[in-house]
Structure formats: structure tokens, C-alpha cells
Amino acid sequence: MRVLFIGDVVGKPGREGLAATMPALREEHKPDLVIANGENVAGGVGITEETGRELFEMGVDVITLGNHAYRHRDSYGFIASEQRLIRPANYPASNPGQGHTIVDAAGMRVAVVNLSGALYLRVERSPFPVADEIIGELSGRADAIFVDFHAELTSEKVAMGWHLDGRAAAVIGTHTHVPTADDRVLPGGTAYLTDAGMTGSRAGVIGVRKEQALEGFLTQMPVRFDSAEGDIWVMGALVEVGDDGLARSIDRVMVPAAE
Ligand SMILES: [Fe+2]
Ligand SMILES: [Fe+2]
């Protein structure tokens, strides 16, 4: 089974770039399952029903979220009811949405789990015991487990990779929007990557127009952020999973978006 994971899709430039590039990605990587982080898909922060559906229509099978999940109040019903959309499992249980979902891909039951780091991000519970609980619940219900770990710190992400080594097919990090070069299959069989990077404009500061981001740093005053445009790239990773539910390979994906 082949899983294409796409890092945080940022705003309209990210959505349009991914849609335009998806045919070539399918041709090259032949994914059985496409997972994308959609926490920045609506105007650079959060998700709306309209932008979520846009991702599904372009061929994304499962959308994961992160700290911007609840930016758009009118999307709470969509987050709560859409089974192909998940938000970090270690948020309060009463928050709209679910922390994992199970989908069929290439004859396998694939559980996709979303977790948030606890360092520099707001969570209710540590992601480590929550990961253990979910993996326990999934026993006998899923053939492979794919984790999007939305976290700030590389150390917390590397630790999660080791924590789940041999128990998940993949642990892939999101949130920093900057891709890392440490893709590998850990000894127990878990594909690991600290950050998948983002799908959006490289002309800005992690997806925000650079003039606005710089103004924020220089003045230390609140600044309106818009999505940067131009020089759009698609970033993520391709994971090959064996029948035993563990990874055979992981390769980073980083290509300029098709026009
Ligand atoms: Fe993000
Ligand atoms: Fe984030």
C-alpha cells in the first residue's frame, strides 16, 4: 500500500497548487491513499467546509488538522460530522471532531491518527499516553496506523517516532511548514519524518506574505496576515507499507506546483 502524505496546505495558493499537481503526483507515486494536513487551507488559517470539500474533490482521502482547527466557527458542524476529517486526539473530548478515522486502501484498513505536540501548543493531554490508548483501541480494527504528529519541537517529534516504532506504519510531523531531511524507516518498521513541510508559497514566511511577517517581527505589533503568493511548492512524503502494517520505505516529496 502506498500513502502520499501532504504537508500543511496553505491558503488558496496551496489549494490551487495541489490541485494542479495532483495528476502528476498520482502518475509518479501511484498512491492508494492520500492524506493532507488542512489546518491552514482556508485563507492561511483554519478550515471551512468549502475548502475542506475542495481538498476531497482534488483527491485527498483524509484531512488532518492542528492548532488552527477551530479558527472558523461556522465549520464546527463540518469538523464534527465529516468522517474523513480528523483533529488532534489529545484536545478536549468535547471539542468538535474526532482524533482518528479508519479508511480502506488497497484492501487494508488504515487508521489515520492526528496528535498535537504538548510543547508550545495547547492540548488537554500529553500526546504520548493518548497515542498508546488509541493504538490499544485500534487493535484488531486496523491493519496499519498512520500518525500525523502536529508539533513544534523536533525533540518531541523524534521522541514520538521512537515511542511508536514498530506499532505505527508512519509518524510524520507537521506544523512547522519547513521540511526536514531525516526521512527514514526506524528499526521497528515505522516510517519517520520530523516535518513534511508545507504546500504553498515559498515566497513568504512559512506561507505568510513576507512583508507582513517582517512587519510583525520589526514592530512587535499585531499585523494582518495574508497568504503569500508565487513560487508554489508541494511538499510531503510517500510511504510504502507492507502487508504487516509496517513501512518498507519513505521518500520525501518536494516539487514545484504545476501551473
Ligand atoms: Fe500549519
Ligand atoms: Fe499548526
Side-chain angles (χ1 to χ4, degrees), residues 40-82:
N40 305 103
V41 79
V45 277
I47 188 166
T48 58
E49 179 162 0
E50 192 183 354
T51 51
R53 295 210 181 284
E54 212 176 308
L55 288 186
F56 290 136
E57 274 158 28
M58 69 178 78
V60 172
D61 300 300
V62 176
I63 299 173
T64 56
L65 294 171
N67 52 303
H68 295 303
Y70 301 118
R71 280 302 185 101
H72 300 280
R73 194 169 284 271
D74 53 4
S75 70
Y76 291 0
F78 174 62
I79 294 173
S81 62
E82 175 53 65

Side-chain angles (χ1 to χ4, degrees), residues 8 10 37 39-40 67-68 150 175-177:
D8 305 38
V10 182
N37 186 293
E39 74 145 4
N40 305 103
N67 52 303
H68 295 303
H150 196 80
H175 176 67
T176 72
H177 295 199

Side-chain angles (χ1 to χ4, degrees), residues 113-255:
V113 180
N114 198 183
L115 291 165
S116 169
L119 300 168
Y120 297 115
L121 290 170
R122 289 178 67 192
V123 295
E124 183 182 61
R125 298 180 60 201
S126 162
F128 293 89
V130 172
D132 294 337
E133 283 173 19
I134 293 172
I135 287 173
E137 278 172 36
L138 289 170
S139 171
R141 295 175 53 223
D143 304 309
I145 298 171
F146 206 102
V147 178
D148 172 354
F149 188 32
H150 196 80
E152 195 80 68
L153 292 193
T154 51
S155 56
E156 193 179 19
K157 288 161 140 175
V158 171
M160 184 62 80
W162 287 120
H163 187 59
L164 299 184
D165 185 25
R167 298 194 284 160
V171 174
I172 296 191
T174 54
H175 176 67
T176 72
H177 295 199
V178 177
T180 58
D182 58 342
D183 49 310
R184 62 169 166 156
V185 178
L186 297 172
T190 298
Y192 178 77
L193 176 62
T194 293
D195 207 291
M198 70 169 180
T199 291
S201 171
R202 289 202 315 188
V205 175
I206 64 169
V208 171
R209 281 183 52 198
K210 63 178 183 292
E211 297 79 9
Q212 295 174 335
L214 276 168
E215 188 187 338
F217 281 111
L218 288 166
T219 66
Q220 300 190 8
M221 293 293 284
V223 178
R224 176 202 158 91
F225 284 172
D226 297 305
S227 297
E229 289 178 15
D231 194 20
I232 312 299
W233 284 64
V234 175
M235 301 181 196
L238 192 280
V239 178
E240 203 170 347
V241 182
D243 292 338
D244 59 0
L246 294 171
R248 297 290 176 270
S249 64
I250 177 169
D251 292 292
R252 279 180 289 140
V253 171
M254 194 168 161
V255 292

